[in-house]
Structure formats: C-alpha cells, structure tokens
Amino acid sequence: MDNEIQGRPAHIAAIRERAETEMREMGVDDAFIGRLVETFYTRVLADPDLGPVFDARLSGRWPAHMEKMKSFWSAVAFRSGAYGGKPVQAHAGVQNLRPDLFPKWLSLFAATLDDIAPTPEAKTWFMATAERIAKSLTLSLFYNPALDDPTRKTG
C-alpha cells in the first residue's frame, strides 16, 4: 500500500509527460489552444442558433469564460489536472439549450480545426475529444432512461 501511495505522483507525472510529448509531436501548444478557443467561440457567437444561447448565458462574462475554456482544453490535452470545473452542472439549466444544438457545435468545432489545426493528427485528436464531450453532455443533460424502458413502450 505504501508503495502504491508513493508511486501515484510518479504515475501522474508520467501520464502528463506522455501527454505533453504527444501534443508537442502533433504541433499542439498553449498558443494553439488559445487560438482554437478564440476562433471557435467567435464562430459560435456569429452562429444564428448557437450565438444567442451562449450569449444569453455568458453576457458580461465572456473574458472569464474564454480563460476557463483555454484552461479546460489545456488540462484535457496536457492532462495537467489544472481544470476543476463541473461541465454538466455549468450547462444544466442553460436556457434554450437543446440536444439538436450539439451537432451544430461539433460542426463549427470541426470547421475551426479544418482551418487552424497544426496537423491532421491534432485535428483528429481534438475532434474525437470534442465528440466525446458532446456525447457526454447530451446524455447527462437530456437522456431519460425511462424512455428506453421496454415495459413502457406502446405500439
């Protein structure tokens, strides 16, 4: 048990080091993450469906949100553990947020990556990560297991 406890920091450091190496090999650094977040959210705000939903929630707080998103993506990419937010809780109760907006969000994210990703590998990694996040949020916010209950099906 003692070796397990003592080995944990080294294990975490090794995970972070591998992530940093992987990201560096794909051309990903903090500057790219900043550009990704800035470019993406500029497009979100300009989108007729997504813009109003985001702006209603974040009006007057955009700079703080942008920094939070940069921290989030940096923590995910580099596995730094630096982000301590709660994405599901942050999105719960967002007025006019609907499941059909997530494919639009992903489409804008993909277009952003098409335009600015430093390598095809970076685009693939960030897109796969965004897809997992969108799926997780959609399930967490909108899934009702009772609707899948075969005993409740009619027909």
Side-chain angles (χ1 to χ4, degrees):
M1 174 85 145
D2 220 18
N3 285 342
E4 252 181 61
I5 293 171
Q6 291 173 349
R8 184 162 166 72
H11 178 71
I12 291 169
I15 289 170
R16 289 178 181 159
E17 188 174 317
R18 279 193 306 274
E20 288 174 9
T21 299
E22 180 184 1
M23 289 298 125
R24 188 171 43 252
E25 288 171 355
M26 286 191 274
V28 173
D29 57 14
D30 284 327
F32 165 71
I33 290 172
R35 194 166 54 257
L36 173 64
V37 169
E38 296 282 342
T39 304
F40 173 66
Y41 279 102
T42 296
R43 292 174 181 191
V44 165
L45 273 172
D47 184 85
D49 297 318
L50 293 170
V53 174
F54 276 80
D55 203 35
R57 178 69 169 207
L58 297 167
S59 182
R61 299 183 302 124
W62 274 103
H65 181 70
M66 298 300 279
E67 290 310 308
K68 185 181 283 190
M69 291 299 91
K70 291 173 188 177
S71 174
F72 170 79
W73 279 104
S74 180
V76 170
F78 297 110
R79 295 191 175 80
S80 68
Y83 180 80
K86 296 179 169 129
V88 174
Q89 291 88 334
H91 290 84
V94 171
Q95 205 161 30
N96 298 316
L97 183 61
R98 306 177 316 267
D100 64 299
L101 292 177
F102 284 91
K104 183 110 181 181
W105 182 89
L106 285 169
S107 177
L108 284 177
F109 199 78
T112 302
L113 289 168
D114 283 342
D115 292 343
I116 69 167
T119 62
E121 295 81 11
K123 178 186 177 196
T124 298
W125 189 92
F126 276 87
M127 199 62 223
T129 302
E131 287 168 349
R132 281 193 305 277
I133 291 165
K135 183 176 184 175
S136 176
L137 283 172
T138 302
L139 288 172
S140 296
L141 296 170
F142 302 107
Y143 177 66
N144 181 348
L147 297 177
D148 283 343
D149 183 350
T151 64
R152 298 183 61 130
K153 301 269 183 198
T154 58

